[in-house]
Amino acid sequence: MGDSAEKQKRPSFFKGVKAEFKKISWPDRQSTLKQSVAVVAISVVVGVIIAVLDYFIQYGVNFLTSL
């Protein structure tokens, strides 16, 4: 099958993962905070829009079923 010497030459999976993690450029704290605030704000705005649409659609369906 495979040569045992060939298997020993290949780095293990976790060594490869560790090497790839060293290549990552992580964002600084201020950038992460700004992006997190933007995500939360957009989520709240979209939630409010969906709630308002739901209310009007529910009102319309109730109006049509009461005829």
Side-chain angles (χ1 to χ4, degrees), residues 2-9:
D3 221 12
S4 63
E6 186 179 316
K7 286 185 180 180
Q8 290 176 353
K9 287 182 182 179

Side-chain angles (χ1 to χ4, degrees), residues 26-53:
W26 298 98
D28 60 344
R29 186 178 182 91
Q30 188 173 6
S31 175
T32 305
L33 181 65
K34 284 181 182 179
Q35 292 174 0
S36 298
V37 168
V39 167
V40 170
I42 290 171
S43 299
V44 169
V45 169
V46 169
V48 168
I49 291 170
I50 291 173
V52 169
L53 286 174

Side-chain angles (χ1 to χ4, degrees), residues 6-24:
E6 186 179 316
K7 286 185 180 180
Q8 290 176 353
K9 287 182 182 179
R10 286 188 265 166
S12 72
F13 173 76
F14 294 107
K15 286 183 182 178
V17 170
K18 186 176 178 181
E20 289 299 320
F21 263 96
K22 287 182 180 180
K23 295 178 185 178
I24 297 173

